[in-house]
């Protein structure tokens, strides 16, 4: 009984103190004027799902038997970003994230894509931007696709914008090289 009374008083004390501390965090401060910057980036993304050095691997699949084995599969990726389309060209960063295969048709690749594009060299070393959007590779390889930029850190703090993607090479296994032209609006 004594423990219950102590517990009840502790709860009452916590409830009484919470509003006092809640006021401390509720102060609104007017932000000063900010100068919006625009940055344009161009690089190549290498998604490798085959071989011993795969950069994208399945981490979860539905437990069903179906004609399309990749439908519903969740992939983790750590893909290199380079200056040119060759994997051996200058490495400027990497893209880490997840994508979920949404296509029931074996000949199409449609995914929800979330990734953080981090730069490890040059002017934007230590900075990154986040992309979260739908990606469809069902058209010809020359088709340009648009994806949304939803945030950033470092030099790209509070970034918004868009990425224009053009697949330059792919195979039937799922390996691909994609050209990125990114426009970032940030502070």
């Amino acid at each position: 009984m004594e423990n219950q009374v102590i517990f009840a008083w502790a709860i009452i004390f916590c409830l009484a103190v919470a509003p006092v501390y809640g006021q401390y965090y509720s102060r609104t401060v007017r932000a000063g004027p900010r100068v919006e910057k625009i940055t344009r980036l161009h690089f190549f993304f290498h998604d490798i799902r085959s071989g011993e050095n795969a950069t994208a691997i399945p981490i979860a699949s539905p437990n069903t038997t179906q004609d399309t084995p990749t439908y519903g599969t969740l992939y983790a990726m750590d893909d290199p970003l380079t200056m040119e389309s060759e994997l051996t060209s200058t490495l400027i960063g990497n893209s880490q994230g997840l994508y979920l295969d949404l296509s029931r048709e074996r000949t199409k690749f449609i995914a929800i894509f979330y990734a953080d594009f981090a730069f490890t060299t040059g002017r934007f070393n230590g900075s990154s931007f986040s992309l979260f959007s739908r990606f469809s590779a069902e058209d010809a390889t020359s088709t340009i696709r648009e994806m949304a930029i939803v945030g950033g850190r470092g030099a790209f703090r509070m970034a918004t914008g868009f990425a224009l993607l053009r697949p330059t090479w792919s195979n039937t296994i799922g390996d691909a090289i994609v050209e990125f032209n990114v426009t970032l609006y940030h502070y």
Side-chain angles (χ1 to χ4, degrees):
M1 179 73 174
E2 185 179 326
N3 289 338
Q4 291 175 343
V5 171
I6 292 172
F7 180 72
W9 279 109
I11 294 294
I12 290 169
F13 178 74
C14 289
L15 292 175
V17 171
V20 174
Y21 285 111
Q23 292 173 2
Y24 177 78
Y25 294 104
S26 64
R27 188 171 145 220
T28 301
V29 177
R30 193 174 294 272
R34 297 184 287 180
V35 177
E36 187 176 60
K37 301 174 205 166
I38 298 174
T39 301
R40 290 186 174 83
L41 304 169
H42 178 261
F43 54 85
F44 290 85
F45 167 91
H46 301 265
D47 193 47
I48 305 163
R49 291 173 28 179
S50 65
E52 289 183 17
N53 295 321
T55 61
I57 59 168
I59 58 172
S61 295
N63 191 14
T64 61
T65 55
Q66 53 184 310
D67 292 338
T68 311
T70 61
Y71 172 66
T73 301
L74 180 65
Y75 293 87
M77 65 176 189
D78 186 2
D79 293 334
L81 305 176
T82 62
M83 293 291 290
E84 303 296 330
S85 62
E86 295 79 25
L87 186 56
T88 56
S89 68
T90 305
L91 182 69
I92 60 169
N94 63 342
S95 172
Q96 296 175 323
L98 302 169
Y99 57 90
L100 178 64
D101 190 338
L102 300 174
S103 179
R104 290 183 182 211
E105 294 182 41
R106 191 176 289 226
T107 59
K108 295 180 180 181
F109 179 73
I110 299 171
I112 294 295
F113 192 87
Y114 168 74
D116 186 71
F117 288 75
F119 296 91
T120 56
T121 62
R123 179 175 160 202
F124 300 117
N125 184 15
S127 299
S128 70
F129 66 87
S130 297
L131 186 145
F132 184 69
S133 205
R134 179 181 182 270
F135 178 83
S136 174
E138 60 189 1
D139 303 323
T141 57
S142 63
T143 303
I144 294 176
R145 293 155 187 91
E146 183 175 328
M147 297 180 80
I149 306 298
V150 296
R153 63 180 179 82
F156 306 132
R157 184 173 290 126
M158 296 181 63
T160 59
F162 58 92
L164 298 176
L165 286 66
R166 185 179 65 86
T168 59
W169 177 85
S170 65
N171 63 19
T172 57
I173 301 169
D175 299 342
I177 300 171
V178 181
E179 180 180 17
F180 272 72
N181 284 295
V182 178
T183 300
L184 297 169
Y185 302 94
H186 56 96
Y187 297 99

